[in-house]
Each structure stands twice: as structure tokens, then as C-alpha cells.
Amino acid sequence: MALIRNLFWTAIFLAATFAFTVLFEHGPTDFIPNAKKEFETLKAMASTKPLEKKDTSDKVLPPLPR
């Protein structure tokens, strides 16, 4: 029973966080269309692979001319 309760509260927390984000970013007018935009942005962020920075410190440089 505790697992169901924890899942319920986690779902409520995520929904409230999403609603707060929509209200904070877009304001209280046109909540439903703005929530759809924010959800599409969230889906795009979750589906893309993070870019890895190339570490240039590992390059072997040629010797300097004399």
C-alpha cells in the first residue's frame, strides 16, 4: 500500500511542477495551449541525446620547429 501511496504523491508532485512551470513561463492566460507547447518541449528534450564536448586537451601536438 505504501508503494501505491508513494506513486500517487510522485505523480501529483510532477503534475503540480509541470503546471507551475507552465504558469511561470507563459502566464495564466491560455493555459491549455501553453501546456501543450511546454509538453512538446519536454518531449523534445527527453528524446534527444546530449551532446558530448570534445576534449581538446588529449590531442598530441607536433613538436615545435627549431
Side-chain angles (χ1 to χ4, degrees):
M1 204 60 171
L3 178 65
I4 295 172
R5 184 182 65 224
N6 286 339
L7 288 174
F8 173 75
W9 283 111
T10 302
I12 294 294
F13 174 75
L14 292 174
T17 302
F18 180 75
F20 175 77
T21 303
V22 172
L23 288 173
F24 187 75
E25 292 282 331
H26 303 283
T29 58
D30 296 332
F31 181 80
I32 299 297
N34 290 332
K36 288 179 183 177
K37 288 180 198 175
E38 201 67 33
F39 186 70
E40 291 299 321
T41 303
L42 184 63
K43 275 195 332 189
M45 286 173 40
S47 66
T48 58
K49 185 177 178 183
L51 297 174
E52 295 180 12
K53 288 185 176 181
K54 294 187 179 188
D55 190 13
T56 58
S57 65
D58 291 338
K59 285 186 179 177
V60 177
L61 298 174
L64 295 173
R66 292 184 184 204

